[in-house]
Amino acid sequence: MIHKNKYYTLVSILFGCSIFFMQSCSSNKKVTENNISSKKIDFQQYKTNNILVGATLNYDELNTIEEKLFLKDFKYLTPANAAKQSRIHPQPNKWNWTFIDDFIAFANKNKLAVRLHGPISPQASKWAKKDNRTAKELETNLIEFTTAFAKRYNNEPSVVWMDVVNETILANGKWFGPKKGTNQWENPWLKIGLDENGFPKYILKAFEIATKHAQNIKLVYNQNAGMEDIMWNKVKETILYIRSKGYRVDGIGWQAHLLLGAKRKDFVDNIDETMLKLGNLIDWAHENDLAFHVTELDFLIKNKDLNKKKSELLIQKKVYQKIVNVLLEKGKNGEVSLNLWDIGERSKKGTGKFQSIYDEDFKPNPAYEVIKNVLQTDKK
């Protein structure tokens, strides 16, 4: 057993070179590459300017104008919340695969590359969030769901990536855990406990299962918040630790809900410094054989006044261009992707509206021009 203080000292040293952990997972990485099914969609053909760009659709947007706008521009799909545990496995003896299976059929029909946004996250079932759930009950629930999920979609040709865990760490660097009641935003899985080195057992178990049963899918560690150093250092540390156990991690995801939360104002107020941090994070990912995915890009606008809203939409365009510029540069050195959350506007109760690239009437807003320019075929 490694003493906890000694372990953290070792990891802090390894951040400089990552040699030990890279060596410990190199053979696992080679096995992974050999196992990726040749029947999978070749997402590389959908890249433009070294970036794969896509968007989400909600289930009720299928067969609507949102679907038409999506298919006009994109070949990379995230089925919003249809792959969450709360939707698929709301109770231990209840399953509902209808929504996500309809999305898979839609993707296969249109030859789309898919990232499944699930399975272990705060969007767990209310059964799992009940305060009387024991660690053993939660672990059993996690194992049965993650195993069924991985096995079901491992050989689907359209499914290229899956978020194994989502929103695990708070902006202050602490583990995101449970809260009282069932209606709050919480992560019940932390109740399963920590291992001898202080890492959540649920994260390790989820990647263990995905490594075993999703050999044909690229595995993503998805995270939210801004560019907080303390949080991302813990993400890095955790990924290296997962790999040291022999489990596979293929990419980092970052939820870019801009201006949601205090620190994400840095993308407007301290944009150049923030872009430097984003670029450094992507460099770390590529240096450690990880893809980098911007998984949920939208922009929160609070003003209802039309003129002020127009001004904020121009700020959104400027920020999107800065992010895209970083991705264009880093895409030369490793895999990057950009995923827009929704197509149009999305209301945030009591806060404002999240803007994507179309307004409420589905007319392009200024940020659409940024995305359109990326989607243009590479100039030879």
Side-chain angles (χ1 to χ4, degrees):
M1 181 182 295
I2 301 174
H3 189 276
K4 187 174 181 180
N5 290 338
K6 290 183 178 179
Y7 175 78
Y8 281 114
T9 300
L10 175 62
V11 171
S12 65
I13 294 172
L14 289 175
F15 274 163
C17 60
S18 301
I19 293 175
F20 172 79
F21 286 107
M22 289 177 69
Q23 288 177 339
S24 69
C25 68
S26 61
S27 59
N28 183 54
K29 181 177 182 291
K30 291 178 181 177
V31 171
T32 299
E33 290 173 346
N34 291 334
N35 285 344
I36 295 297
S37 174
S38 60
K39 296 180 181 179
K40 291 286 182 180
I41 288 287
D42 179 15
F43 70 92
Q44 302 286 352
Q45 66 180 310
Y46 299 149
K47 285 184 175 182
T48 52
N49 300 295
N50 296 317
I51 304 177
L52 178 69
V53 182
T56 63
L57 283 174
N58 290 286
Y59 188 75
D60 60 3
E61 293 172 341
L62 294 175
N63 300 309
T64 67
I65 186 172
E66 287 98 328
E67 177 189 308
K68 292 179 181 179
L69 291 172
F70 176 91
L71 292 175
K72 177 175 68 72
D73 282 326
F74 305 118
K75 299 291 286 185
Y76 164 35
L77 170 70
T78 301
N81 294 316
K84 296 292 180 65
Q85 193 247 10
S86 56
R87 182 63 55 82
I88 294 173
H89 194 33
Q91 297 176 17
N93 298 314
K94 185 176 181 180
W95 297 84
N96 182 5
W97 300 94
T98 303
F99 286 10
I100 188 58
D101 281 351
D102 284 351
F103 265 117
I104 297 300
F106 169 74
N108 289 339
K109 175 183 176 181
N110 292 283
K111 297 182 179 179
L112 307 176
V114 173
R115 180 176 59 85
L116 294 177
H117 186 39
I120 300 303
S121 76
Q123 281 177 312
S125 68
K126 285 194 173 182
W127 177 90
K129 291 185 176 183
K130 286 185 177 180
D131 297 340
N132 64 341
R133 292 281 79 85
T134 66
K136 183 61 178 177
E137 287 177 317
L138 286 170
E139 183 179 24
T140 299
N141 191 228
L142 180 150
I143 291 172
E144 66 181 8
F145 172 65
T146 309
T147 301
F149 187 98
K151 287 182 175 181
R152 190 178 188 94
Y153 299 113
N154 184 48
N155 293 314
E156 281 290 346
S158 61
V159 177
V160 182
W161 308 269
M162 63 181 276
D163 295 340
V164 180
V165 295
N166 183 44
E167 299 186 28
T168 63
I169 303 169
L170 298 171
N172 62 11
K174 295 182 179 180
W175 299 115
F176 185 27
K179 299 178 181 178
K180 290 184 179 180
T182 60
N183 294 319
Q184 297 191 68
W185 194 249
E186 62 172 301
N187 188 347
W189 310 108
L190 189 63
K191 187 184 288 188
I192 295 173
L194 305 178
D195 77 351
E196 66 274 17
N197 291 310
F199 290 89
K201 292 180 180 179
Y202 83 88
I203 295 177
L204 297 171
K205 179 58 67 174
F207 274 98
E208 177 188 356
I209 293 169
T211 298
K212 180 179 180 180
H213 296 298
Q215 295 182 6
N216 294 328
I217 302 175
K218 295 175 181 289
L219 309 181
V220 179
Y221 191 118
N222 200 35
Q223 182 59 36
N224 63 331
M227 288 292 113
E228 294 84 356
D229 292 334
I230 191 171
M231 181 192 73
W232 284 112
N233 285 340
K234 195 159 189 173
V235 171
K236 296 173 185 179
E237 180 184 10
T238 305
I239 289 174
L240 294 177
Y241 187 70
I242 294 168
R243 283 179 161 183
S244 77
K245 295 292 185 181
Y247 311 141
R248 180 162 52 89
V249 186
D250 301 305
I252 294 178
W254 167 55
Q255 296 184 22
H257 295 300
L258 300 181
L259 301 192
L260 176 64
K263 286 296 291 182
R264 291 194 226 198
K265 291 181 180 178
D266 286 350
F267 282 86
V268 174
D269 298 337
N270 303 303
I271 189 167
D272 291 333
E273 180 181 348
T274 304
M275 289 300 108
L276 181 60
K277 287 185 175 183
L278 175 61
N280 290 338
L281 178 60
I282 298 173
D283 285 340
W284 184 90
H286 290 164
E287 288 163 4
N288 286 276
D289 297 310
L290 292 159
F292 189 87
H293 306 279
V294 178
T295 58
E296 301 182 21
L297 179 62
D298 53 18
F299 193 91
L300 181 62
I301 290 181
K302 299 180 180 181
N303 279 307
K304 296 181 181 180
D305 179 88
L306 185 59
N307 289 328
K308 290 182 178 179
K309 183 177 179 180
K310 287 181 178 179
S311 178
E312 289 193 58
L313 287 172
L314 291 176
I315 294 174
Q316 178 195 15
K317 177 183 177 181
K318 175 184 176 181
V319 176
Y320 276 29
Q321 187 63 67
K322 292 276 189 177
I323 291 174
V324 163
N325 288 345
V326 173
L327 295 177
L328 286 170
E329 180 62 28
K330 302 305 179 182
K332 299 173 183 177
N333 304 319
E335 183 180 328
V336 296
S337 75
L338 174 63
N339 179 78
L340 303 167
W341 192 259
D342 289 328
I343 292 290
E345 291 187 351
R346 175 172 63 92
S347 294
K348 177 72 172 176
K349 188 176 181 180
T351 304
K353 290 186 177 181
F354 279 105
Q355 306 293 315
S356 184
I357 54 174
Y358 291 94
D359 65 18
E360 59 185 359
D361 298 317
F362 299 106
K363 296 180 180 178
N365 66 24
Y368 177 77
E369 183 181 343
V370 176
I371 303 302
K372 182 179 179 181
N373 289 339
V374 179
L375 293 171
Q376 291 177 343
T377 304
D378 303 82
K379 294 181 180 180
K380 303 299 181 183

